[in-house]
Amino acid sequence: MDHGESSHNGALKAILTLGHHTIELPLICGSEGEVALDIRRLRAETKGLQLNGKGIQGGLITFDPGYKNTASCQSDITFIDGEHGILRYRGYDIAELAAKKVRFIETALLLIYGELPTPAERENFRELLTQYEMLHEGMMNFFYSLPPNADPMAILAAAVQCSSLYNPELRAIDPADEDSFRAAAAKLLSRVRTIAAFSYRKAMGLPFEYPDPSLDYCSNFLHMMFSIPYRRFYATETMIRALNLFLILHADHEQNCSTATVRMVGSSRANLFDSISAGISALSGPLHGGANVQVLRMLERIERGEETIDGLINSVKIKEPGKPRRRLPGFGHRIYRNYDPRAKILKEAVDNLLEELQINDPLLDIARELEEKVRHDDFFQKANLYPNIDFYSGILLRAINIPVNMFTLMFAIGRVAGWIAQWREEALNPEAAIQRPRQVYIGKTCRGLCLP
Ligand code: CMC
């Protein structure tokens, strides 16, 4: 098979036996060897089939809560090999992108358009980012109306939608129209950074700092975060490099919960801004992007002596009947059964960053000790639970002075790149259908209403 293609493998079929009937199900092969059972015709072909003397109502459906075994789409954006801990954006290994210091915006364009930009394309997009970095002044009322200490992720989700209301033409773009799509993508990528910084300023009771068109993406964000009227903030090269790496590592991760949400919302033909706003809400949960905050809080509790590493490890092993197991934030992953390659890169980067900045962060020592103990623990070994991206990312963010309540929002700034790419892929797929899972109804059967 050609690289980058997937196809029905005509020779291979799965045979499903239902009583006396057999149904042939074709297989789809991905370009990296993934094989999927194509069940698109399952319902139609099983409709009315007799099973144990009864006709199958409406045809056979599949049951897969949490979609642990279900591919919702074919995609050529990001590839993960969970067994071997491999992550590639458009075929490029994440470790190579990180090592060669590709910039976040170049990575975003790679994800969105499939290739790294030429210098001219990069310059052209940079100009768009500058052109769109300001929020409409009307948005100031939005920020002023928020209560102090409002949750930055909730602000971001609402502000992304709200800011698009000032550009109704972008809410109605044709995803196939290159110019308007590019403008919408640039506006989102640029504004999400401004909104993030403004949320922080609002929470701190500081005046808003407007973007500076002379600065690159990361420096501009740090300027909006930390400059104050009487003291301009100049980010160091080390800080910019760390932030760039953080954003690249978070830029996409195939069909995770928030990306699947963006695609699902987009499948109803909802516009890019509304779809991404929904993705931000999905990302906020503690099992997903919100885990980076939980990790930091856990390390702080250990530092304060409120919990011990051994106590913590033991507590997740006890599973009370009928209750979900307590989970150690920053460990485990639906796809990786090996070390998350992003965590590996971050761990090394954090060591170098703290050394360069001459920071001695006690939370890093605690994190290292926790990881060491977890990795030698039988329970975690058997369940293949390794550190994920959220385990070390907070220590990197702390080192560049990003407050803990902004951590998940930082994740979102990076992930906007992938969400845009994935939304467009869904929107341009001629075979895409509105995403609408089925259910197995287990409630009361039809009964008459008997009023007193
Ligand atoms: N601590 C303790 N037990 C765990 C953990 C953990 N972190 N993760 C999974 N398990 C257990 C889980 O409880 C289950 O055991 P049992 O059925 O006996 O209760 C077993 O391991 C298998 O779990 P799984 O099928 O891998 O779980 P999943 O795919 O539904 O969940 C996950 C994946 C990421 C939600 C989960 O590993 C987790 O909750 N981790 C902690 C939260 C976290 O760090 N999330 C960030 C994920 S990476 C970045 C992102 O996507 O946002």
Side-chain angles (χ1 to χ4, degrees), residues 68 253 256-257 283 285-292 295 316 319 324-335 337 340 342 379-380 383 385 388-390 411 415:
K68 291 192 174 187
H253 212 234
N256 55 82
C257 177
L283 185 71
L287 296 188
H288 193 8
N292 57 14
V295 169
V316 303
K319 189 174 177 193
R325 183 188 300 286
R326 179 181 180 186
R327 289 173 181 230
L328 211 53
F331 287 88
H333 198 275
R334 172 64 60 80
I335 312 278
R337 296 291 162 214
D340 179 337
R342 305 166 299 173
F379 169 83
F380 285 88
L385 297 171
N388 59 46
I389 189 169
D390 294 315
F411 188 151
R415 190 53 60 86

Side-chain angles (χ1 to χ4, degrees), residues 197-226:
F198 277 26
S199 312
Y200 169 71
R201 307 290 291 210
K202 166 76 192 174
M204 299 297 290
L206 289 168
F208 298 122
E209 191 65 48
Y210 282 49
D212 176 344
S214 70
L215 296 177
D216 64 35
Y217 193 88
C218 292
S219 317
N220 208 349
F221 171 70
L222 293 168
H223 152 68
M224 286 189 277
M225 287 282 291
F226 302 126

Side-chain angles (χ1 to χ4, degrees), residues 94-141:
I94 189 74
E96 202 183 350
L97 289 167
K100 299 217 168 124
K101 303 192 172 55
V102 172
R103 291 195 216 155
F104 169 61
I105 287 302
E106 293 170 318
T107 306
L109 292 173
L110 168 70
L111 287 166
I112 297 168
Y113 292 108
E115 296 295 339
L116 281 164
T118 62
E121 286 164 346
R122 197 177 57 206
E123 203 37 47
N124 176 289
F125 200 73
R126 190 179 134 73
E127 276 170 24
L128 283 183
L129 291 175
T130 303
Q131 189 182 328
Y132 296 138
E133 64 193 4
M134 305 287 286
L135 300 178
H136 190 285
E137 276 300 299
M139 281 289 290
M140 292 303 125
N141 295 327

Side-chain angles (χ1 to χ4, degrees), residues 109 130 187 247 362 371 377 420 439:
L109 292 173
T130 303
K187 238 171 209 174
L247 295 177
E371 182 193 340
D377 187 277
I420 295 171
Q439 64 167 15

Side-chain angles (χ1 to χ4, degrees), residues 377-398:
D377 187 277
D378 246 24
F379 169 83
F380 285 88
Q381 279 179 353
K382 277 194 193 123
N384 288 315
L385 297 171
Y386 292 85
N388 59 46
I389 189 169
D390 294 315
F391 192 61
Y392 285 106
S393 65
I395 296 177
L396 179 144
L397 292 175
R398 249 163 82 91

Side-chain angles (χ1 to χ4, degrees), residues 79-97:
F79 170 69
I80 302 176
D81 175 343
E83 302 301 318
H84 299 102
I86 292 171
L87 168 62
R88 298 193 198 116
Y89 295 162
R90 301 282 191 183
Y92 294 115
D93 196 287
I94 189 74
E96 202 183 350
L97 289 167

